[in-house]
């Protein structure tokens, strides 16, 4: 079965000659920016997941002797970057929820701003 030749648009070769000089610089920049944006997105998502797990473990009163719970607690405490004591309500549980929720929100907003700045032409 034979297929019709591609239409005269896009990046298809014209008469067997493929000239991608006009696309080369833009594609490399777009690919690099997309890769960096995806890396930032993965890092921010991982940090937010760590904060969510920490809050979940605190709310559900997880076993502090468990290695995974301790690991998440240590990571969350290191990644909170000074936002762990912004709110100091009388209820410690509410304080953890508010502070780590705020830290997650800050990571999300800053991450999105960085991604938009990278992807801007």
């Amino acid at each position: 079965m034979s297929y019709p030749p591609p239409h005269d648009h896009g990046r298809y070769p014209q008469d067997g000659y493929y000239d991608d000089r006009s696309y080369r610089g833009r594609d490399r920049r777009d690919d690099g920016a997309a890769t960096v944006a995806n890396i930032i997105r993965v890092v921010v998502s991982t940090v937010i997941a760590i904060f969510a797990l920490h809050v979940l473990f605190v709310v559900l009163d997880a076993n502090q002797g468990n290695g995974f719970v301790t690991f998440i607690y240590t990571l969350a405490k290191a990644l909170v970057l000074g936002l762990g004591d912004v709110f100091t309500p009388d209820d410690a549980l509410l304080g953890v929820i508010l502070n780590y929720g705020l830290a997650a929100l800050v990571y999300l907003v800053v991450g999105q701003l960085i991604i938009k700045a990278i992807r801007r032409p």
Side-chain angles (χ1 to χ4, degrees):
M1 176 174 222
S2 67
Y3 295 97
H7 300 285
D8 188 25
H9 59 81
R11 293 180 53 179
Y12 293 111
Q14 305 299 319
D15 300 326
Y17 176 70
Y18 185 66
D19 182 17
D20 68 342
R21 286 177 287 183
S22 62
Y23 297 102
R24 197 174 293 155
R26 189 178 78 221
D27 284 347
R28 285 187 185 157
R29 165 126 170 77
D30 290 346
D31 289 345
T35 301
V36 171
N38 285 335
I39 290 170
I40 291 171
R41 188 174 292 116
V42 167
V43 169
V44 168
S45 298
T46 303
V47 170
I48 290 173
I50 289 168
F51 289 156
L53 280 173
H54 174 64
V55 169
L56 184 69
F57 291 158
V58 170
V59 168
L60 298 177
D61 197 27
N63 178 10
Q64 296 295 319
N66 183 291
F68 182 67
V69 174
T70 304
F71 175 70
I72 293 296
Y73 169 76
T74 305
L75 274 177
K77 191 166 180 146
L79 293 171
V80 77
L81 300 176
L83 297 172
D85 59 353
V86 172
F87 300 106
T88 56
D90 292 334
D91 184 12
L93 182 64
L94 181 61
V96 168
I97 293 170
L98 290 174
N99 290 320
Y100 284 87
L102 174 65
L105 184 64
V106 167
Y107 269 92
L108 181 66
V109 169
V110 170
Q112 289 300 316
L113 289 173
I114 292 171
I115 288 169
K116 285 185 185 211
I118 289 172
R119 298 196 85 172
R120 186 173 22 160

